[in-house]
Amino acid sequence: MSTIRTCLCFLFFLLGFCVSTFAQHPQHVPGEILVKLRPGLSATQWLDNHSDWRDAGIFLKPGRQNSAPMNVHTIHFDPAQMDEEVLLEMVRQDAHVDIAQFNHYVQLRSTIPNDPEYAQQWQYENTGQSGGTIGADMDMDLAWDYTTGGLSAMGDTIVVCVIDDGVSATHPDMVPNLWVNHAEIPNNGIDDDNNGFIDDYRGWDTGSSSDSVFDGGIHGTPVAGIVGARGDNGIGVAGVNWQVKLMIVQGGTGVESEVLEAYSYPLVMRQKYNQTNGAEGAFVVATNASWGLDMGQASSAPLWCAFYDTLGVYGILNAGATANAALDVDTQGDLPTSCPSNYLIGVTNVDHNDQKVTQAAWGVTHVDLGAFGEGTHTVDGFGGYAGFGGTSGATPHVAGAIALLYAAPCPSLIGLVQSDPGAAALLVRQAILDGVDPNASLNGITATGGRLNVHNSMLLLLQSCGPCPAPRILDETNVTDGMATLNWNAGDSTLNTDLQWRAVGDTVWNVVPGLDSSFVLTGLTPCTFYEYQLTSNCPNDTSDFASTKTFKTDGCCENPSDFAVVSFGEDSARMSWSGILAAQSYQVRIREEGTFWTTSATTDTSFLFENLAPCTNYQVQISVVCADDTVAFGRERSFRTLGCGSCIDLPYCSPPQLNSEEEWIDSVQIHTLINASGDNNGYGDFTTSMLSTDLTIGDTNLFSLSPGFFATPYDEYFGIWIDYNQDGDFEDADEEVYTSGFTTTSVNGSFIVPEHALPGNTRMRVFMQFDDIPAPCIATSDPFGEVEDYCVNILPVVIPCIAPTGLDTLALSNTAILLGWEADTNVTDYLLRYRSMNDSSWTEKTTEADSFLLDKLDFCQSYEVQIKSICGETESEFGAVDTFSTLCRTAIGSKFPEGSLKAYPNPFSDQIIVQFRSQDQSSSLVLDLFNAQGMQVIRQEFRALPEESREIQLNTGELVPGMYWIRIRNEAGTFATLPILKRRND
């Protein structure tokens, strides 16, 4: 035993610790050290292997295991019996110990953003505020102690590519962090940066092959907001990263070819970044896909799956949402999460009680971990803030965590990025997966069995960055044209901090040693970029310099960044902006879209444009005039004046944010409006489209509403609201046009526009919600479904203009016919057209009367005739075709006395009675019936009775309508003729 003691003391002497006495450090728990053992070794096994320590009187006791993934244990000892510094160094020298340290006290000094709705973001710091489990969170407050994101340790601007349906470019929490391609000149039709994409200034839209990515974002805005809504700006919420850049790619959610194009854009930009050592392209570290294909098979999508390995080789990790369905993707499939790539992280959904959501997929091979998604609070696509959910909400937390780790104060990570970007990506991935909190609801059904914890992952990553971390959370406050205050946080082991700073472009640093946590720079030059670096001085080490931070002093002659339209009416609009210190005046100019500019000057910080046209799109710009310079006009701002009608002009309530991943309005048919729109990510705004319909007061209008489902049909309720009184809401009782009971299929019905409805343009809202009767402006207990808005045109009651009835022959001759019809007081004119049976073209005549004489016709000829009504600005269709024939000439023998031949009824239909009276009884008589072409169609013989009328009945049911002639003739050729007309049965 004495030999062992001697050896240990000699070792301690060589290390400079033997027989010296140190005062206990108040920063750590007396009698406790934390030990990270080699994998697979328990604390009991480790201590059992050290009988030599016990023999030397060194008694250590195993405590609790603090971290299973890291194999960290608490070890207890008696501080009164041994020197704690000597003991700690002895443990550090052990071959089975990776890391050993004291168990330091910590204080509640976490980095918390000043965003007013941060308290609702339970996923970052769960105090039970949402009714969930206290502590079920990602420990973001602790992770932010190291970095809040934005720049790497070497000053690279970190970019995350969000592939979705676009983003709201006007949301105040999103605008500062939206990435733009500064190497591209927008809208000039040229690929300025030679990346294969023309005019990709704001990102890329695979559908339109343009950068139109700022026009949508109902789904994409909250997704991007989770990754990187601007933090600590006093507005709304914070993202996982406070200042990361968000590259927006719109696409990848339609067909697989667009998936490949969508991923190609961040790949090309990262390739350029790597190839030019950061001079071109973008430092894209992650992509996010909150979309996919349920039960999609990796074997059938080899190109899609191969993309993740390609992205990874260049340094891009990819977060992919698994299905919002209760299925095992290992057996049933899913795209993208079943793709076998080490550069893809598959994510499922966990709620505020740290439980996997029932309607969220799993897979022990292909789903790597869970993340908070259900009900997480973030930005919405309508300029506000709301809950978001599903795996769509879980996945961007992982993408955001990837970006935050790249911003860790770890220069060695960025060194690896430069030498082997794929290896750096895998290092970050491993930190994400190893840092999870074990989770019973995920155990055995996901690869890690755990849920994302960003703080754990940050600690794991920093283990490879040395015991003396560089200062973190660098920022500048009180920046003026001549001074600025620099602020930072030092690590627990830091004694003090050295600062070096200079104007960008200078070769010599100004060095300030031995600082605490802030320093005020004075004597600065206005409108100048400055850069600074910090390094930590620790007891036994000095850190590398943290990444270079750059800021610019005030006093520049530059256009204001907040130039905006603050109000507008039908004929005016007011612009406003913050004052520029160097400005002497401002030039503002305006133009109707597509026309020439009109320029005005002002010294104020607002300007009123007047004499504008209503319902017109305008563009405005500003230029700052300084003493020695005038800045070129800046970026255009667009607006539309009022006067478009109630539907667009009035400030209707925003529809609630609904989740349409599982169910949506598949099609709407209302009167003549037909829109098979499918899933619109919770809200479809069709008010400015051509989709509309006319609804006439008093008319009955049919409708059909159809739901769409991703997989399982759910109970849905439908509603239709129309703002009949055009007051900007749907609150009047009869404006609730329809509400259904629950259904899993289409609903059909009708409604009548009430008499008090105001004619004109107004708003119609169609609502479908899961499991609850919807209201037009709020989502009730279950926010699943979809809303669609349309403009409809209410028309006053209009007396219909119909074709005249009762068209008849009033008089007939060989060359003329007089037509008549029933008059209508609503008709201003009649248009009559006719043609011979032998002609193909019509001759038209107009008259105000209810009769018209057609003359100069051919004798013994058949004609067709139609007539329509003209009612002021409207007119009817032509009525049915009628036929008539002019008389035929006859010159056979002499005539019987006038009046001896009669027939009734005339016009006739299925039969006619012919009456004949004659004194001649010498011979038989023949009755012939001829058609208009002179063809005999009926013949009948009879004898006349003396002094009496003889009646003959003719059956005429099979004769076609038109003109006919009756002729009665005796053997001597004496005859009588009579024209008759067969009418149409209808």
Side-chain angles (χ1 to χ4, degrees):
M1 182 180 295
S2 61
T3 303
I4 295 175
R5 288 179 182 270
T6 303
C7 291
L8 286 175
C9 190
F10 180 69
L11 171 64
F12 297 161
F13 177 79
L14 291 177
L15 295 171
F17 292 114
C18 191
V19 299
S20 59
T21 302
F22 292 85
Q24 290 191 358
H25 291 242
Q27 294 92 349
H28 62 258
V29 180
E32 290 184 8
I33 58 174
L34 301 178
V35 177
K36 182 180 183 298
L37 299 174
R38 294 291 172 89
L41 182 65
S42 70
T44 301
Q45 292 171 330
W46 172 59
L47 292 176
D48 286 344
N49 292 332
H50 277 290
S51 59
D52 56 336
W53 290 358
R54 292 191 299 274
D55 293 341
I58 302 172
F59 298 98
L60 305 180
K61 295 181 180 181
R64 65 179 297 176
Q65 184 180 37
N66 307 110
S67 174
M70 297 175 63
N71 201 21
V72 174
H73 302 261
T74 299
I75 304 299
H76 300 277
F77 64 95
D78 186 352
Q81 294 182 356
M82 62 194 73
D83 188 302
E84 61 181 1
E85 294 283 356
V86 172
L87 175 65
L88 178 62
E89 191 60 29
M90 180 189 74
V91 171
R92 284 176 174 172
Q93 297 297 319
D94 189 87
H96 296 92
V97 175
D98 287 337
I99 299 175
Q101 65 169 69
F102 291 121
N103 189 10
H104 297 98
Y105 291 109
V106 296
Q107 302 176 19
L108 291 176
R109 57 177 185 82
S110 302
T111 303
I112 303 299
N114 63 8
D115 306 274
E117 295 191 37
Y118 169 78
Q120 299 180 51
Q121 295 187 280
W122 57 264
Q123 67 269 33
Y124 297 160
E125 189 176 4
N126 195 340
T127 61
Q129 65 269 51
S130 65
T133 301
I134 296 174
D137 56 50
M138 303 188 301
D139 287 339
M140 285 308 308
D141 53 329
L142 302 177
W144 285 331
D145 277 345
Y146 296 91
T147 178
T148 56
L151 297 174
S152 75
M154 302 300 287
D156 305 271
T157 298
I158 298 169
V159 180
V160 174
C161 178
V162 177
I163 304 173
D164 216 284
D165 68 345
V167 71
S168 170
T170 59
H171 200 297
D173 248 355
M174 300 300 296
V175 171
N177 286 354
L178 293 178
W179 176 86
V180 294
N181 183 5
H182 292 289
E184 190 76 12
I185 300 172
N187 304 318
N188 68 350
I190 300 172
D191 182 10
D192 301 285
D193 60 353
N194 296 312
N195 68 348
F197 299 87
I198 297 174
D199 288 340
D200 56 312
Y201 180 73
R202 301 182 298 184
W204 193 248
D205 173 18
T206 62
S208 64
S209 295
S210 71
D211 69 346
S212 300
V213 298
F214 289 175
D215 301 328
I218 300 303
H219 186 268
T221 300
V223 169
I226 290 171
V227 175
R230 189 59 170 254
D232 205 42
N233 61 347
I235 301 173
V237 299
V240 174
N241 298 266
W242 295 2
Q243 298 185 50
V244 73
K245 287 303 178 182
L246 301 166
M247 174 187 287
I248 306 302
V249 173
Q250 184 166 312
T253 58
V255 294
E256 194 170 346
S257 58
E258 291 192 17
V259 172
L260 305 181
E261 183 177 350
Y263 278 121
S264 294
Y265 188 77
L267 174 61
V268 167
M269 299 307 286
R270 180 61 189 270
Q271 285 174 327
K272 290 177 70 69
Y273 195 88
N274 293 352
Q275 293 163 359
T276 63
N277 197 27
E280 297 176 20
F283 185 48
V284 185
V285 301
T287 70
N288 188 89
S290 289
W291 43 267
L293 176 61
D294 280 10
M295 294 182 285
Q297 300 298 321
S299 59
S300 65
L303 289 174
W304 183 346
C305 290
F307 233 104
Y308 296 116
D309 283 339
T310 303
L311 288 160
V313 167
Y314 288 94
I316 300 177
L317 280 175
N318 306 275
T322 195
N324 285 303
L327 58 87
D328 184 346
V329 303
D330 290 350
T331 59
Q332 295 175 267
D334 179 72
L335 287 171
T337 54
S338 67
C339 290
S341 173
N342 289 330
Y343 296 101
L344 172 66
I345 300 177
V347 187
T348 193
N349 183 15
V350 176
D351 64 17
H352 63 180
N353 287 313
D354 232 352
Q355 296 294 311
K356 186 190 80 69
V357 175
T358 302
Q359 288 297 316
W362 65 90
V364 70
T365 300
H366 292 114
V367 177
D368 295 291
L369 77 167
F372 295 115
E374 195 71 10
T376 51
H377 193 70
T378 185
V379 300
D380 67 25
F382 307 100
Y385 305 87
F388 193 59
T391 57
S392 287
T395 307
H397 285 98
V398 175
I402 293 169
L404 194 72
L405 293 185
Y406 271 94
C410 184
S412 60
L413 170 64
I414 306 306
L416 184 60
V417 166
Q418 295 169 346
S419 62
D420 189 346
L426 292 177
L427 180 65
V428 171
R429 177 183 186 270
Q430 202 60 44
I432 294 286
L433 301 185
D434 289 347
V436 298
D437 281 336
N439 184 286
S441 70
L442 299 171
N443 186 38
I445 62 172
T446 61
T448 63
R451 184 258 305 143
L452 176 70
N453 184 302
V454 182
H455 179 237
N456 287 351
S457 298
M458 182 68 70
L459 291 177
L460 286 171
L461 184 70
L462 291 177
Q463 284 181 5
S464 61
C465 298
C468 187
R472 54 190 181 270
I473 311 181
L474 310 177
D475 64 5
E476 309 83 33
T477 57
N478 305 319
V479 179
T480 68
D481 57 342
M483 63 182 297
T485 301
L486 310 182
N487 308 282
W488 59 89
N489 283 353
D492 290 341
S493 58
T494 301
L495 299 176
N496 53 54
T497 303
D498 294 343
L499 164 71
Q500 60 181 23
W501 65 276
R502 63 186 177 186
V504 173
D506 286 355
T507 58
V508 178
W509 291 97
N510 302 293
V511 178
V512 185
L515 300 176
D516 186 9
S517 60
S518 67
F519 185 74
V520 179
L521 299 177
T522 59
L524 305 181
T525 303
C527 191
T528 300
F529 281 99
Y530 287 88
E531 59 185 357
Y532 63 98
Q533 295 178 332
L534 296 162
T535 184
S536 297
N537 297 312
C538 302
N540 300 310
D541 198 3
T542 299
S543 75
D544 293 330
F545 276 103
S547 59
T548 303
K549 191 74 183 297
T550 303
F551 69 94
K552 185 172 68 173
T553 53
D554 201 352
C556 297
C557 184
E558 59 187 7
N559 290 327
S561 60
D562 60 349
F563 174 67
V565 182
V566 294
S567 64
F568 53 88
E570 289 192 16
D571 59 359
S572 64
R574 180 171 292 279
M575 316 303 298
S576 182
W577 57 92
S578 297
I580 299 299
L581 185 65
Q584 291 188 337
S585 64
Y586 306 91
Q587 295 183 97
V588 289
R589 66 182 186 180
I590 188 170
R591 68 177 176 184
E592 184 178 333
E593 196 172 75
T595 62
F596 296 102
W597 293 101
T598 298
T599 304
S600 304
T602 181
T603 57
D604 294 330
T605 55
S606 68
F607 190 83
L608 180 66
F609 293 104
E610 298 181 288
N611 300 318
L612 307 181
C615 193
T616 302
N617 292 323
Y618 284 93
Q619 296 168 327
V620 290
Q621 290 179 306
I622 191 169
S623 166
V624 170
V625 180
C626 303
D628 301 319
D629 191 17
T630 298
V631 184
F633 280 98
R635 183 179 175 185
E636 296 175 355
R637 302 290 191 270
S638 299
F639 68 94
R640 180 174 53 215
T641 51
L642 301 180
C644 300
S646 299
C647 179
I648 296 176
D649 287 352
L650 295 181
Y652 286 90
C653 61
S654 296
Q657 174 67 50
L658 297 183
N659 185 334
S660 65
E661 292 184 349
E662 294 295 322
E663 61 261 84
W664 56 84
I665 299 173
D666 197 50
S667 67
V668 171
Q669 298 185 47
I670 297 179
H671 193 41
T672 61
L673 187 157
I674 300 176
N675 184 25
S677 63
D679 184 5
N680 296 286
N681 296 314
Y683 177 60
D685 185 0
F686 301 103
T687 56
T688 58
S689 70
M690 299 300 293
L691 293 168
S692 183
T693 188
D694 293 334
L695 304 176
T696 302
I697 294 173
D699 277 4
T700 299
N701 301 278
L702 302 179
F703 67 82
S704 177
L705 309 176
S706 299
F709 299 104
F710 189 76
T712 304
Y714 297 103
D715 293 338
E716 307 294 339
Y717 288 78
F718 283 94
I720 303 174
W721 287 264
I722 300 177
D723 182 19
Y724 285 133
N725 62 358
Q726 299 182 36
D727 64 349
D729 61 47
F730 305 103
E731 297 178 358
D732 293 72
D734 58 0
E735 292 182 343
E736 184 180 294
V737 172
Y738 171 78
T739 52
S740 73
F742 75 81
T743 180
T744 58
T745 60
S746 299
V747 295
N748 303 282
S750 64
F751 62 89
I752 299 175
V753 179
E755 294 182 358
H756 64 264
L758 295 179
N761 177 268
T762 193
R763 180 75 63 97
M764 177 175 71
R765 178 160 291 175
V766 182
F767 205 129
M768 187 194 85
Q769 182 166 318
F770 164 69
D771 203 33
D772 213 336
I773 298 174
C777 298
I778 59 172
T780 49
S781 59
D782 292 295
F784 299 93
E786 194 166 62
V787 181
E788 293 182 357
D789 277 354
Y790 299 89
C791 289
V792 295
N793 191 30
I794 305 296
L795 298 179
V797 177
V798 177
I799 299 174
C801 189
I802 59 176
T805 59
L807 179 63
D808 199 1
T809 304
L810 303 180
L812 183 68
S813 71
N814 298 97
T815 59
I817 183 171
L818 179 63
L819 300 174
W821 53 86
E822 294 181 6
D824 188 337
T825 57
N826 190 44
V827 177
T828 55
D829 293 285
Y830 299 97
L831 177 63
L832 180 145
R833 66 181 185 181
Y834 67 97
R835 64 184 177 186
S836 167
M837 289 288 196
N838 300 322
D839 292 338
S840 59
S841 59
W842 296 92
T843 300
E844 294 185 344
K845 302 289 184 181
T846 304
T847 180
E848 297 178 1
D850 56 359
S851 63
F852 194 82
L853 177 66
L854 298 178
D855 58 3
K856 298 181 182 178
L857 305 177
D858 295 330
F859 71 90
C860 199
Q861 179 63 47
S862 295
Y863 289 86
E864 291 181 320
V865 63
Q866 285 182 292
I867 191 168
K868 70 161 52 175
S869 299
I870 300 174
C871 310
E873 296 182 357
T874 62
E875 58 184 43
S876 72
E877 300 292 331
F878 277 103
V881 175
D882 278 292
T883 304
F884 68 88
S885 299
T886 54
L887 297 178
C888 298
R889 294 173 179 169
T890 297
I892 305 174
S894 61
K895 290 186 178 182
F896 286 109
E898 194 72 31
S900 58
L901 179 61
K902 297 180 179 179
Y904 65 90
N906 189 13
F908 64 93
S909 58
D910 292 340
Q911 66 179 20
I912 187 170
I913 305 298
V914 179
Q915 189 180 70
F916 180 71
R917 178 188 296 275
S918 175
Q919 299 294 328
D920 183 8
Q921 304 180 40
S922 60
S923 61
S924 62
L925 301 174
V926 177
L927 182 151
D928 289 313
L929 185 66
F930 298 95
N931 63 19
Q933 287 75 38
M935 297 176 59
Q936 181 192 73
V937 293
I938 293 178
R939 168 166 284 198
Q940 188 169 330
E941 296 183 2
F942 68 95
R943 297 187 70 87
L945 300 177
E947 305 299 331
E948 296 181 12
S949 296
R950 179 67 183 270
E951 291 187 349
I952 302 96
Q953 180 175 310
L954 302 178
N955 293 321
T956 58
E958 296 185 1
L959 299 181
V960 298
M963 186 67 66
Y964 293 85
W965 284 267
I966 298 173
R967 184 185 70 183
I968 294 180
R969 181 172 56 84
N970 62 18
E971 294 176 353
T974 302
F975 69 93
T977 60
L978 179 69
I980 59 175
L981 178 68
K982 180 171 182 180
R983 65 171 177 265
R984 297 179 183 273
N985 290 329
D986 56 359

